[in-house]
Each structure stands twice: as C-alpha cells, then as structure tokens.
Amino acid sequence: MSATVEPKTVAPGDGGPLNGPERTFRYSPINYLRRYGAAGLVLLNLTCFFILWELFARAEVVSPLFLPRASDMFRTLFEGLSPGGIILQHVFYSMRMFSIGMLAAAAVGIPIGLLMGASKVMDSIFSPYVWAMAALPRVALMPLLILILGFSDSAKFTLIFLSAIFPIIINCMAGVKTVDQSLVRAGQVFGASKTDLYRKVIFPFTLPFIISGVNQGMTRGLVGLVIAEIFGGNKGLGYLTTRAAQSFNPALLYAVLLVLVVFSLGFVQIVKIIETKAAPWRNYGS
Amino acid sequence: MTNMPSPATRSATSAAGRNDVVIDARDLVVGYRKLREKIELTALRDVNLQIRRGEFICIVGPSGCGKTTFINVVAGLVKPWQGTMHVNGTPVKGPGPDRAMVFQDYALMPWRTVQENVEFGLEFVKHDLSKQQLADRVAHYLDLVGLKGFEKSFPYELSGGMKQRVGIARALVCEPEILLADEPFGAVDAMTREGMQAELERIIAETGQTVVLITHSIDEAITLADRVVVVSHRPGRIREVVEVDLPRPRFEYDIKANERYHELREHVWDLLKGEAFGAATEGEA
C-alpha cells in the first residue's frame, strides 16, 4: 500500500546491496506460489467438482433426468456454442436485450439519482415513486407488462429497465448526499463556483457510487431478463431453460445455467475492474 | 492598532512595515441556527481583533468556543450576525484568492494525485500563468513542503503528516496574503507534529504571510505565534491577547528550556483553566 512512501523491509541478504531506500528482488518459487497459488487452487477445486459430478451421475444415484453427466453437459455446451449452435443465437439475443435495457436504465437512472441527491425539491418529488418501485418485487409487474405490451421485446426490455434502474438511482442519490462536507468547504475556500463544485468535487466523489449502482443494477437486470424470457416469447436463454426442461433435455438445461453464471459473473467482474480503476482510493481507509 | 482589545497587548512587534492592519474584526457577533430545536446559538460575541501584516496569530480556547467560526468568517464562508470583518480595508463578502485555508482533516481530493491536489488551489482563480509557469510554481511549493518525488502519489498512499504537507502546499500555491489554518496538526502524531511546526515557521519566514492558526495546544500556540489570542468558553469572547516575545527562529534553540516560555505557558494555562477545564486539557497531552 505505502510502497511508494516507505522503504520495504527486507531481511538482510535477501536482495542486492542496500544503497537507497529501494532495491529490486527476485521471485523465489514460494513467491510465485503465494501469488498465483490461489488461481491454481480454484482450478483444482473445479476439476474435482466436475469429476465427482460425473461419477455421481454415472452411478445413477439420482435419476439422469435431474442430473445429466458432466461430460454430456459439456458436449452440449460446446456444440451449442459453436457457430450455428442452438445456444449461441439465444446468447446473442439475450445479450442484446440486456445491453439495451441496461444502457437505458443507466442513461435515465444516473441523472435522476444525481438530481435527487443534489436537490431537496427533486428528492421529495421523486422519492415516493422510487422507493415504492424499489420495494415492489419487479417480477410482479410482468403480467401487467404482458397485458399492455404483449409477448413482445418491448415487454422484456421494460422489465429489464425497471429491474435495473432503481439500484442505480438510489446509489447515485446516496453518493451525492454523502459527499464529504470538508471537501466542499475546501472547494469553496479556493473559489469554486456552484458549477465548479458539482463538476470538480461532488461528481468525482459520486463516481464510485454510480459504478456500484450500475453493478447492482446489472444483477437485478439479469434477473429481470431471465424472468421476462421465461414468461413469454421464443428467444433468449430464459426461454431456452424452459424449452430444455419441457423437452426432457437436462444436459441442455444445465449447459444454459452454466452460460448464465458465466454471463453474470463476466458483467459484474468487468464493472468491478472499472471500479478499481476509477476509484483506487476506495480500497483503502482513505 | 491602538485600540487593542486587551490590556495584555503591548506595542507592535519589532519588524518594520508590519503596522498596517490586514484583518480587522469589529464587534463581531456570529452564531448559527439549530433548526430542529428552533434556537439560535451565539458562537462568538463582541470580538474585536486587529491583525497586522506578517503577524503569526494563534487562537486557543476550549472546544466549541467558536475558534473555527472566527476563521470561517475571515475566509468568507460564514457571515457575521453583527459587526464587521474587513480584510485589507474591504468588507469580506465571500472567499477570495487573498485567503487560503489548511484543514484539520486535510480535505484532499482522493481522486487527485499530490500534484493535482496542489493545482486545485489555483484552479478557480484567475491568473495569467502559462502552463509551464504553473507547473513550476506547483513544483516550487511541493519542494518547499518536502514532497518532491511524490507528485504522482495519491493521498491514500501517504501518511497523515504528508497529507497535511499537501494541504499546506495547496494553500501556499495561491500565494495568499493570509494563511488560515484550522488545527492543521490536530490529526498528526506528536513527533511529526513538532517537525511540521518547525517547517511551518521556516516556510512562513520565507513567504512572510499573515497567519491565523487555530489550535488547542498551548505549547503549539506559544512556539509558533507572535500573539496568542485566548478565547473563552461559548459564546466565545476574547479573554486576552498574549504577546509572545521569544526570539525567532524558535526551532533553532531549545525553546522549552527558556524561562519566559514557561511564564507565558503558565499565564495562558491560567486563563484557560478558568474556562473549561476538561476541554482545555484534551489537546495538551
């Protein structure tokens, strides 16, 4: 953490001659193990898991209808994801719906959240609706949406949008409201105008909140996506799970679930990386 | 200059050209509203204080006595209820580039590097510096506070003492006439604190700024100040302004071995002891 500030304490004779506060040292195998060992352990763990699964399924302790062999699942997965495969087109469809819904939720939610944080009037106008909608399980809206919009893409898009937007609004609002008052005071002392304060102090302070709002919105949006696809239509990963179950194809069902896990983790991970890049100070005690 | 508010105040300090008043507070009454309780609290009452150019003023007093309120009035962040505050002969209407502040909690922007944080001091001020001149000026003050080599570090990578150096550099980079400091070393450990006091004395000797520094350490006040303003418990009134006639630079010799130092210390301590015993001892350990 403070590597740039204090010289590293190194056991004598560990590296080169100590002339300045810094010196380089070489990695020993143990250093490598400490650094990359965790990743190796995860790999080993997962391999064991799938092997046990395979053995368990082959023993047919559970009906193969509920638990396919891991190898079957992987075969279906690779076939399905190869060009022209059955899973791939649905992945693309779901990803497109999800991206459009998320972009719209962010584009609308961030400004509303920032406004609510900055202005008491805006807050009191919007907050009853925001909190009511945030409290309502969004799934309950699906029948209504189908009634209005039918089994259409716009019904799905609306559910994703509504699922994702409220965590975004609430986080943006919290960011502006919790802005460090001494930073605002510093801005004022050094002559910042109201606009300057928003641009140079409050917005940068809120940025990590915005990102984590988008992150939470994504997990909620994904739930919205799958539920909307299960409810209706004939496209998307959610639809594919119901189809696999109805056609007694457990290998396909498990493969789609795995794709969803990767899908979700991938998005969350990307946002996490953006967060650490955008606000490195957040990982420290300030 | 002649109507100093307290009997203990003696004639102006030795240096020539120091006799014009920079900060002029007259009959100041300042307070704030507590909305929920529907009461208005007076923080400062009947404050008369004239501060001369190049003077180093320390304000001591028990917690909650309105020291910070006073400095906020000078900075232009708080408007007085009654009385007037003039800086260089003009009434204070708001913050201005002639005054800069150092904060107890540093108030550095965590998303900015050390260099960018120092640049913040000049960001909203009209100046005719070229990019190069600006960079040179920032570099000069970073060097002055001993942060050369840390330009690209972020505040979270620095120790408390170093963060406050950034805070000081940010205030100095505007080259203000008046440097305001609100318990600048309050959050710094005792050893770093003494080192930084010595550095502040050296820097101010170089820049010749007028300084108003709040502290609740009597030792800090006496080692740094030309005059110590002792403020009473809320509502804060000036109890006495104590002239510190110890030779400078004070960190070149063992000031604590000086007889006069202890006399002054006793005197200020007696003034404060009557105020709020508990509050006054806190910062002293």
Side-chain angles (χ1 to χ4, degrees):
Chain A
M1 167 200 146
S2 49
T4 46
V5 184
E6 291 156 0
K8 278 186 191 120
T9 43
V10 186
D14 199 0
L18 235 186
N19 297 323
E22 264 176 55
R23 64 179 172 185
T24 54
F25 64 96
R26 250 184 228 158
Y27 263 21
S28 72
I30 289 174
N31 290 133
Y32 277 110
L33 199 69
R34 278 203 190 126
R35 185 154 181 188
Y36 302 109
L41 220 59
V42 170
L43 212 65
L44 191 71
N45 185 354
L46 287 179
T47 314
C48 291
F49 172 76
F50 284 115
I51 287 173
L52 280 176
W53 175 353
E54 179 75 19
L55 293 176
F56 199 67
R58 272 174 193 269
E60 297 201 355
V61 185
V62 185
S63 156
L65 191 59
F66 306 147
L67 189 73
R69 292 176 186 175
S71 52
D72 282 344
M73 183 200 67
F74 278 117
R75 192 183 312 116
T76 318
L77 186 65
F78 286 122
E79 281 170 9
L81 284 178
S82 55
I86 182 164
I87 302 178
L88 199 65
Q89 47 172 315
H90 293 285
V91 169
F92 282 140
Y93 174 82
S94 290
M95 232 196 246
R96 211 183 72 231
M97 289 303 293
F98 184 63
S99 314
I100 297 171
M102 279 309 302
L103 277 178
V108 178
I110 293 171
I112 290 182
L114 294 179
L115 266 176
M116 283 176 70
S119 146
K120 275 209 170 126
V121 178
M122 288 296 177
D123 188 9
S124 44
I125 291 174
F126 282 113
S127 67
Y129 310 105
V130 168
W131 289 108
M133 287 298 288
L136 181 74
R138 258 54 56 82
V139 193
L141 289 172
M142 199 56 201
L144 179 67
L145 291 176
I146 289 171
L147 192 68
I148 300 170
L149 298 165
F151 293 103
S152 62
D153 282 2
S154 38
K156 294 179 198 169
F157 163 82
T158 312
L159 191 67
I160 298 168
F161 177 82
L162 289 177
S163 303
I165 195 170
F166 296 104
I168 297 177
I169 291 180
I170 289 166
N171 269 280
C172 291
M173 182 176 69
V176 178
K177 281 191 175 167
T178 56
V179 67
D180 190 343
Q181 282 310 309
S182 70
L183 295 185
V184 173
R185 213 168 132 224
Q188 288 171 332
V189 164
F190 290 104
S193 68
K194 205 142 196 198
T195 332
D196 290 333
L197 279 181
Y198 278 109
R199 274 181 49 228
K200 301 277 178 110
V201 180
I202 296 170
F203 184 73
F205 185 91
T206 312
L207 194 60
F209 287 84
I210 297 175
I211 295 170
S212 75
V214 171
N215 203 355
Q216 286 173 29
M218 275 187 167
T219 30
R220 300 291 199 82
L222 203 66
V223 175
L225 169 82
V226 173
I227 284 172
E229 286 172 350
I230 287 175
F231 255 93
N234 55 2
K235 275 182 235 158
L237 291 170
Y239 159 74
L240 204 54
T241 54
T242 34
R243 200 179 93 182
Q246 280 159 6
S247 61
F248 303 109
N249 187 348
L252 180 61
L253 181 51
Y254 277 75
V256 174
L257 292 179
L258 194 64
V259 170
L260 276 171
V261 168
V262 174
F263 198 85
S264 171
L265 281 182
F267 271 112
V268 170
Q269 214 54 39
I270 288 168
V271 178
K272 246 190 196 158
I273 290 167
I274 296 173
E275 191 174 8
T276 38
K277 289 268 185 241
W281 67 90
R282 269 203 132 193
N283 302 323
Y284 301 83
S286 133
Chain B
M1 293 149 264
T2 43
N3 56 345
M4 281 302 160
S6 127
T9 312
R10 269 154 257 145
S11 59
T13 28
S14 53
R18 275 187 156 194
N19 285 330
D20 47 336
V21 171
V22 187
I23 299 170
D24 188 358
R26 280 176 201 277
D27 306 318
L28 217 57
V29 179
V30 202
Y32 48 91
R33 269 192 177 158
K34 282 195 158 178
L35 278 179
R36 208 177 311 154
E37 289 94 338
K38 291 187 193 154
I39 44 170
E40 294 188 330
L41 270 178
T42 320
L44 283 175
R45 183 169 283 283
D46 309 326
V47 170
N48 280 288
L49 185 65
Q50 281 71 43
I51 298 170
R52 296 180 291 267
R53 192 172 307 283
E55 240 186 335
F56 200 129
I57 297 287
C58 284
I59 304 181
V60 286
S63 302
C65 73
K67 297 170 291 195
T68 303
T69 309
F70 178 77
I71 225 173
N72 280 342
V73 175
V74 181
L77 294 175
V78 173
K79 285 196 179 67
W81 286 356
Q82 286 168 38
T84 54
M85 171 65 77
H86 285 79
V87 169
N88 274 324
T90 45
V92 172
K93 291 242 170 64
D98 52 342
R99 287 151 288 152
M101 201 183 311
V102 180
F103 299 87
Q104 176 176 14
D105 55 0
Y106 321 124
L108 303 175
M109 311 297 147
W111 53 89
R112 287 177 170 234
T113 62
V114 166
Q115 172 147 6
E116 289 162 349
N117 261 295
V118 176
E119 283 165 0
F120 188 83
L122 282 171
E123 213 153 299
F124 313 109
V125 183
K126 268 193 197 136
H127 58 74
D128 42 15
L129 297 172
S130 70
K131 258 194 174 158
Q132 187 56 45
Q133 284 169 314
L134 188 88
D136 288 346
R137 182 132 141 208
V138 170
H140 169 73
Y141 284 105
L142 278 174
D143 193 23
L144 192 68
V145 298
L147 279 176
K148 209 174 189 170
F150 292 97
E151 293 86 352
K152 300 273 173 285
S153 304
F154 283 92
Y156 67 83
E157 298 173 306
L158 304 179
S159 66
M162 295 179 89
K163 280 184 207 167
Q164 196 52 293
R165 286 163 204 266
V166 182
I168 293 170
R170 177 177 64 181
L172 290 174
V173 81
C174 327
E175 305 194 334
E177 282 185 67
I178 299 162
L179 186 67
L180 306 168
D182 187 357
E183 295 191 29
F185 310 129
V188 175
D189 66 274
M191 245 162 81
T192 316
R193 178 184 260 235
E194 249 181 63
M196 292 196 64
Q197 289 168 354
E199 274 184 62
L200 186 64
E201 191 193 30
R202 173 181 62 78
I203 290 167
I204 295 306
E206 200 168 306
T207 58
Q209 269 140 340
T210 310
V211 183
V212 182
L213 185 146
I214 291 176
T215 176
H216 50 222
S217 155
I218 300 176
D219 286 305
E220 182 166 282
I222 296 175
T223 21
L224 287 172
D226 294 321
R227 287 193 292 158
V228 176
V229 179
V230 183
V231 181
S232 72
H233 195 60
R234 185 168 38 213
R237 283 191 173 86
I238 295 181
R239 290 265 344 239
E240 194 175 317
V241 180
V242 180
E243 191 99 14
V244 182
D245 45 5
L246 292 163
R248 283 188 192 275
R250 294 183 187 151
F251 284 90
E252 305 258 295
Y253 61 98
D254 188 3
I255 190 175
K256 284 178 181 150
N258 192 311
E259 271 294 303
R260 183 77 187 124
Y261 176 87
H262 288 282
E263 278 172 37
L264 288 165
R265 198 179 178 287
E266 282 292 302
H267 180 60
V268 174
W269 176 229
D270 282 341
L271 287 170
L272 281 174
K273 208 154 46 177
E275 290 307 329
F277 191 79
T281 41
E282 267 171 33
E284 268 258 273

